[in-house]
Amino acid sequence: MNNNNSKIDKNSPVPIYYQIANNIKTRIINGEWNIGERIPSEFEFTREYNVSRVTIRQSLQNLEKDNIIYKIRGKGVYVKNNASPLIHELGYPADVGTKMRQQGTNITSEIVVLEVDKNKIPNIKSKLKLNEKDKVVYIKRIFSLDGIPISLSRAWLPLHKVPDIIEKGLISNRLSITLKNRYGYIPYKIENFIEATTPALVDMKLLNADYNTPTITFNSISYIEDGLPLEYSKVIWLGDKVKFHFNVQKDDNNNIIFTVV
């Protein structure tokens, strides 16, 4: 029997059931159990992790919610999906969905809000270099991988640059395609700021994620050829669902080059 009780810190503020769920997920990633294979019973896990059956049940419910395991009544619990996070080649945030689809990944987006911004969040208009009277379009979407939410996107755009976007909606719920095909906008520069964040509880509920799940946030401003900002966006990614990849290397002159794909 694996000594996985040592992986659990009972003095940590992170709930024990969540620590156990993550440990079981790691074991699946490492190949201890394959897709379609039965994993230990609740009773076996209680002995292994030295916790109550209620705690194990919570852990398994968390994994079942994430579509990693499934139960067959009277037979046990089985691995449904390998829990390995999606690895994405880091590039323009607006192209994330497009690139994932090109790679054959089943990613979908759902529009939660598409309206003229009513909240008047500080700094949005200054980031977009707008006047006080200018109106701003606010778009909130949820991205899902194989039906499991992985990202929450918020975007703000000047209404005068995207007329009728509220009435017509987005083409296939995709903002980058809508900007390109309907309005002829292709960003020539995007400023990105990446940070580890503690998201709002309401955001984690939308993503159907535990509040203790690590998150990565992209804050981005895209510019078009006139040099003015077209879009300000804030995208929250679930750190246990997605990893980003980029390269750093030296050129012939010993200069550091940051490369994204």
Side-chain angles (χ1 to χ4, degrees), residues 16 23 48 73 114 145 189 192 194 242 252:
I16 294 175
N23 185 248
E48 184 173 346
R73 191 176 184 85
L114 174 55
L145 175 64
K189 182 179 76 170
N192 297 311
I194 307 173
V242 179
D252 294 337

Side-chain angles (χ1 to χ4, degrees), residues 34-216:
N34 297 315
I35 293 176
E37 187 175 347
R38 182 182 177 276
I39 66 174
S41 66
E42 289 182 3
F43 176 71
E44 291 171 307
F45 274 140
T46 59
R47 294 181 60 191
E48 184 173 346
Y49 288 102
N50 192 27
V51 296
S52 71
R53 197 160 184 169
V54 172
T55 299
I56 293 298
R57 189 167 293 130
Q58 284 181 295
S59 302
L60 296 179
Q61 287 173 347
N62 204 60
L63 293 171
E64 188 174 21
K65 178 192 70 176
D66 286 344
N67 210 32
I68 294 171
I69 62 172
Y70 65 97
K71 298 177 181 178
I72 298 179
R73 191 176 184 85
K75 292 188 176 182
V77 181
Y78 296 79
V79 178
K80 185 173 184 180
N81 286 305
N82 188 288
S84 298
L86 176 70
I87 298 178
H88 174 64
E89 296 292 345
L90 181 60
Y92 279 2
D95 293 335
V96 168
T98 299
K99 284 191 174 183
M100 288 181 178
R101 293 182 184 94
Q102 290 172 348
Q103 295 166 2
T105 303
N106 183 23
I107 187 167
T108 57
S109 60
E110 173 192 355
I111 297 175
V112 179
V113 177
L114 174 55
E115 64 183 15
V116 173
D117 187 20
K118 300 174 182 177
N119 296 319
K120 298 181 179 179
I121 297 176
N123 299 325
I124 294 297
K125 287 189 176 181
S126 64
K127 291 179 184 295
L128 294 173
K129 296 184 179 180
L130 298 176
N131 297 319
E132 185 61 32
K133 293 183 180 180
D134 290 328
K135 293 184 178 181
V136 177
V137 173
Y138 171 52
I139 305 170
K140 180 162 70 173
R141 292 177 296 161
I142 295 175
F143 286 88
S144 297
L145 175 64
D146 294 326
I148 304 297
I150 61 172
S151 174
L152 179 64
S153 168
R154 289 180 171 87
W156 294 264
L157 303 97
L159 181 59
H160 66 269
K161 287 186 179 292
V162 287
D164 302 325
I165 193 171
I166 294 175
E167 291 78 12
K168 294 182 179 180
L170 304 183
I171 299 173
S172 301
N173 288 351
R174 297 165 67 181
L175 182 56
S176 59
I177 295 298
T178 302
L179 293 175
K180 177 182 177 181
N181 293 354
R182 185 183 298 163
Y183 301 103
Y185 295 132
I186 301 177
Y188 84 97
K189 182 179 76 170
I190 297 184
E191 293 180 346
N192 297 311
F193 303 89
I194 307 173
E195 59 182 333
T197 55
T198 301
L201 183 59
V202 64
D203 290 343
M204 299 307 275
K205 285 184 177 180
L206 279 174
L207 290 169
N208 196 28
D210 190 282
Y211 183 71
N212 295 294
T213 302
T215 58
I216 305 168

